[in-house]
């Protein structure tokens, strides 16, 4: 096994099982030629890995559209054709994990990199893209973009999709070579009224004369297909929901471990920090679907502090790894949370203090 000094990156990802296709949070460690994953038990990763993915001859697929309800999945296809599906907590984390793994693969497979470079061609919108064909493919039931219910600033909208979903689809279908090229294609779809903005964020971008692109590669910007007679802001499409649940701008998101209030066991949760109003919600990343929070707290007037790593602080159960912090709400509810590293803990504390 590789020594600790060879660690390139480590952190939580959610992995799909090979035989039973359920999803489990695992601690992944990237080395110079392989990716290891560990099970978390009692708030600490097991010393022995549960599995090893060799990156020799491996291929990365990102974005991966195999799972409609999980747009943050990376697919690794090993040299022996075994497929591994890994899910990140946000698009930025997904893309950075994919890039780091690709860097390792290119380093150990230089001939593969030469083949990729020799096959690259320039991207010419006019010559290569038929927008009417693209929009038709996007609306295909099995292989296109799935229309869902999405929320923005306390409202939800039916039959729409996010900007990031469109960009993921365009890149995965090789309509565009990069995300920036895909934004250009999506902007043309907006310009030709084949896609329409839904909600405030995408509508403002549509009419922003300062920006050269009319489309947002953003997981919170909403769009829909242009349909005859459809009014995206009609009472049937716009639903008022409780302000605490879906309102607020997303400031930070990521995987953290949280101690339960009753059983005191530790579980990996996908945390989403919002401001205006300031709330911290957490989701079960293994649940299907995982778009509803399993808990959350208002951060107004809360207290947050780092906990010392020497010994187990009062209120903590289990043989934890450290990097703990505590949030105390105005209702005197104590939340014990564990980050993957000291730097990550500092980032979360700083972000929560800023919005609270």
């Amino acid at each position: 096994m590789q020594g600790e000094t060879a660690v390139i990156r480590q952190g939580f990802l959610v992995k799909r099982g090979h035989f039973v296709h359920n999803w489990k949070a695992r601690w992944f460690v990237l080395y110079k030629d392989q990716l290891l994953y560990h099970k978390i038990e009692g708030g600490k990763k097991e010393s022995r890995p549960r599995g090893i993915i060799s990156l020799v001859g491996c291929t990365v697929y990102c974005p991966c559209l195999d799972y409609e309800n999980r747009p943050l999945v990376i697919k690794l296809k090993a040299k022996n054709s075994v497929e591994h599906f890994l899910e990140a907590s946000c698009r930025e984390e997904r893309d950075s994990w994919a890039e780091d793994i690709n860097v390792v693969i290119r380093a150990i497979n230089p001939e593969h990199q030469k083949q990729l470079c020799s096959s690259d061609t320039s991207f010419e919108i006019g010559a290569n893209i038929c927008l009417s064909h693209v929009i038709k493919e996007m609306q295909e039931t099995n292989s296109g973009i799935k229309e869902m219910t999405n929320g923005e600033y306390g409202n939800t909208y039916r039959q729409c999709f996010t900007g990031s979903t469109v960009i993921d689809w365009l890149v995965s279908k090789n309509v565009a070579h990069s995300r920036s090229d895909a934004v250009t294609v999506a902007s043309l779809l907006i310009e030709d009224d084949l896609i329409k903005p839904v909600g405030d964020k995408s509508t403002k971008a549509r009419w922003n004369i300062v920006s050269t692109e009319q489309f947002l590669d953003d997981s919170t910007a909403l769009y829909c297909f242009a349909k005859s007679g459809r009014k995206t802001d009609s009472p049937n499409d716009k639903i008022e929901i409780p302000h605490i649940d879906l309102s607020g701008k997303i400031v930070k998101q990521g995987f953290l471990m949280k101690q339960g209030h009753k059983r005191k066991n530790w579980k990996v949760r996908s945390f989403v920090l919002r401001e205006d109003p300031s709330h911290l919600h957490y989701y079960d990343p293994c649940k299907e679907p995982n778009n509803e929070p399993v808990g959350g707290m208002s951060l107004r007037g809360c207290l947050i502090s780092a906990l010392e790593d020497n010994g187990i602080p009062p209120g903590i159960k289990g043989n934890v790894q450290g990097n703990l912090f505590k949030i105390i709400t105005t209702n005197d509810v104590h939340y014990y949370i564990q980050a993957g590293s000291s730097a990550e803990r500092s980032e979360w504390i700083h972000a929560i203090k800023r919005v609270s």
Side-chain angles (χ1 to χ4, degrees), residues 260-298:
H261 290 293
K262 295 181 179 179
R263 297 178 59 190
K264 307 296 183 183
N265 54 346
W266 288 90
K267 291 187 177 181
V268 177
R269 293 290 182 247
S270 178
F271 280 79
V272 179
L273 175 63
R274 294 180 171 91
E275 65 177 349
D276 299 328
S278 56
H279 285 88
L280 183 64
H281 294 100
Y282 49 93
Y283 301 73
D284 184 351
C286 305
K287 190 177 178 181
E288 197 73 64
N290 60 356
N291 56 358
E292 292 294 332
V294 295
M297 70 204 81
S298 171

Side-chain angles (χ1 to χ4, degrees), residues 35-49:
L35 185 63
L36 278 62
Y37 53 93
H38 301 253
K39 183 180 179 181
I40 299 296
E41 195 67 45
K44 190 175 184 178
K45 74 177 179 72
E46 294 178 344
S47 58
R48 296 177 66 88

Side-chain angles (χ1 to χ4, degrees), residues 3 253 343:
Q253 48 192 328

